[in-house]
Amino acid sequence: MTLTETTTDTARDDDTFLDSLCGRLRPGAVIVDPTALRTYECDGLTGFRVTPSAVVLADTTEEVRQAVLTCREFGVPYVARGAGTGLSGGALPTSDGIVISLQRMRAILEIDPRNLRAVVEPGVTNIDITKAAAPFGLHFAPDPSSQQVCTVGGNVAENSGGAHCLKYGFTVHHVLELEVVLADGSVVRLGGVNREQPGYDLLAAFVGSEGTLGIVTQVVVRLVRNPATVHTLCADFPSITAASEAVTRIIAAGIVPAAIEMMDALAIEASEAAVGAGYSLDTAAALIVENDGPAAESKVEFEAVEQICRDTGTTKIRIAKDSAERAMIWRGRKAAFAAVGRISPDYIVQDGVVPRTRLSEILSRIGEKAAESGLRVANVFHAGDGNLHPLVLYSEAEGQLEQAEELSREIAELCVEMSGSLSGEHGIGTDKACSMPRMFTESDLAAMWRLRRAFDPEELCNPGKLLPTPRLCGEKPGVYVPHALEVSGDIERF
Amino acid sequence: MTLTETTTDTARDDDTFLDSLCGRLRPGAVIVDPTALRTYECDGLTGFRVTPSAVVLADTTEEVRQAVLTCREFGVPYVARGAGTGLSGGALPTSDGIVISLQRMRAILEIDPRNLRAVVEPGVTNIDITKAAAPFGLHFAPDPSSQQVCTVGGNVAENSGGAHCLKYGFTVHHVLELEVVLADGSVVRLGGVNREQPGYDLLAAFVGSEGTLGIVTQVVVRLVRNPATVHTLCADFPSITAASEAVTRIIAAGIVPAAIEMMDALAIEASEAAVGAGYSLDTAAALIVENDGPAAESKVEFEAVEQICRDTGTTKIRIAKDSAERAMIWRGRKAAFAAVGRISPDYIVQDGVVPRTRLSEILSRIGEKAAESGLRVANVFHAGDGNLHPLVLYSEAEGQLEQAEELSREIAELCVEMSGSLSGEHGIGTDKACSMPRMFTESDLAAMWRLRRAFDPEELCNPGKLLPTPRLCGEKPGVYVPHALEVSGDIERF
């Protein structure tokens, strides 16, 4: 599955395209230097590298529009890119295509504390929105682990969640309005600041569309008031099953914590090696539970959570006594992905969802599959949502990449078999496009293709992502590829 | 603007269509009797009547599919219909088209208290979902005033809200999955029971699409736990301005009540004449505020609300001492629309939104416009959301209909001018389609047309609703009608 292509050092016959592109943009906006292009050849997805033929460093909506119009004129594919932290290959270019980088569009245009919103450009990092809102006691709720570097444009593309999405929801719940450049170069505004908005809700369809419906050039986000109080605990459990039972009981009690995270022994070992947050090294699983809200409410709920942990057999409960200790507990959790590098030369981050009540079951199935393949899997996950992030550890030097990718893919498909989802928050990208037919019927996928074709009939906007195609997936049995749609003379090219 | 058409008593040359329709459906499923068809000639929108050429009483998804396929074959337009309580003409047929009634599809297929969801057919009434969930301490949150009779299919089409949408959101926030029959007869499932769902979010686009993208044949809804405690008060204010100030301060304090409703003197007078809920007849405005949630939280917030009402000059506060008194306060509010019939022979219900901070301003503008036209306007509204429901009172017998429609339209467009919305929850339908260009640019409307055309290229599924067309709106200055889209050979028929 590893793909390495380079076209930049071969003679190009499309100089007219590049001339036209440079002619329409400010001097210096187009990168063609092969070494510089290397920066854009991959995102956070292991094993995929494709060098684009050029990169546009857009400064304005108009520059994005000019780049899109030029690509349309010459039939050149393009992909928008933020910080390149995505984990499913969504920001990978095609070898004959260009990258439109939005990282220079990082102005915070307005913070409006009275109406609880902010207007930002797509290249602003997630954390910078919260920093700008902090003086008003507000924050931007989505908090992916990469929030220090990932951009809000990427959050929109992937509908990012994070540890606190259990209570606060995903990016789609925190975006009020988008400015988007469509494939025909038109600039539209989707959604609106009123909660009640007539017309089709295209905003929700664009959030999470992985850059395949257009390029977001401005985002109006909702800001959330910082909670009056926050209570955080970290509880050790003698087994994954006991910890899972605690999660089930907390939810069944009608409590909605801000977050319920789980880590297994291997993930704890890695995190401790990197951060030293003080997690127990002799436990099978740890739960991090956080309750926030008005003082009266969060205290009562937090006490109930503590009692449930005791009832389900916790061996140790650590309660954060101040914000410094809470920050340390979270630092350990958020660093866990990267920390796995301390205990393994290479790893793949998988992302799947199962019904919360089947957490214990899937984790033992993952354990069995890992044992069969001889690889180790560390588990860090948003337990409250049933959103797993198994980390498949391997060594590329020892030739284990293919085996690791196979195990990782099996885990994702196992999630679907268990009435879950192929992806929680990392997206489908190139990584899982060919698995989509395991989750959706032919008609369901055809409905998605209709939307795609309506907005990008020439398929130049981030092609080969999200939806399966024969070029991408071949005609393998078990991999559904839609051949034709009954209705549509206008939707025939798959 | 009044439109009365009848085609049923003229000779028809499309017997082959009806023969084909009857041949594909069970005996008795197709109504063609002119008297029986009268039942389907209007919905809740004043002044519009169109008799359909036939009505299909569908029992199953397959029957809906057969009806759609037959319509497609013969090029006949169709509209799905629930209880016909809509207020914007969304369920009106065209004179050459048929109605597909979903009222017989009213099975509650599953109540799943463990996973907090229910699977229902589209003809189930809103209140029947809550009744079926009640034994488990659960309810369906959207609560439009028509909830005793309106169907969940209609709630999906209009993205219905209700008094409690301030805290609980709209129908789109409570629908997990839809089964939909598309215009080509394919049956798709949109959304899914996992919160994290990859692929395009077509579910959100279908909710609120006013029946123009397909026909919903099954709905998986989210059920919400009944709150542990509920506190309700009704506070009188000496002016609309004072009551609006209370609303602004409640929200600014970070309190999210379950509902904040306002009624003016005329609305109170009407409600008292009909229900006698005990509202004060000598007050300029009354606020109904409800706080719910865990005991500790809702009590603290309710006390804060009470204090804010006192600080802003309330003249009398009535606190519901038990659930019977609370029910009575709500009965008065929910009956207010119909109650207006007690003080006026005819009335139009308008529906618009303004930023909450401009409530007082729009209400005085409405007062001025009413005075100019010599008509009375009663105001009942979801103040917490800035969602107004001005009731324009008139007498058809005295020839005031046109004048009332003009005033009503002016009020809706005033909302847009004040950075608000043309419609809060009643929809656009035929009623406001020609006003859409006041709220959306040419490109924004073109984006909506793309979606419409992708799913219904022949425009047979509820044509003439939601989006402006030349046939509907003419080429009046100020009424934008999109003539062509740059990109799209496939989107040229407006």
Side-chain angles (χ1 to χ4, degrees), chain A residues 163-164 166-168 226-234 246 249-251 253-261 287-309 317-320 326 329-330, chain B residues 294 297:
Chain A
H164 291 80
L166 175 61
K167 179 169 179 176
Y168 292 98
N226 297 343
T229 60
V230 185
H231 298 276
T232 310
L233 63 73
C234 181
R249 288 206 206 170
I250 289 167
I251 302 292
I255 300 167
V256 183
I260 309 180
E261 302 285 301
L287 276 190
I288 299 170
V289 186
E290 188 160 286
N291 290 84
D292 68 11
E297 174 193 357
S298 69
K299 185 162 176 293
V300 169
E301 297 202 333
F302 191 65
E303 285 166 1
V305 166
E306 199 184 327
Q307 188 56 49
I308 289 169
C309 289
I317 294 187
R318 170 186 176 193
I319 295 176
R326 176 166 54 252
I329 289 175
W330 278 111
Chain B
E297 175 193 358

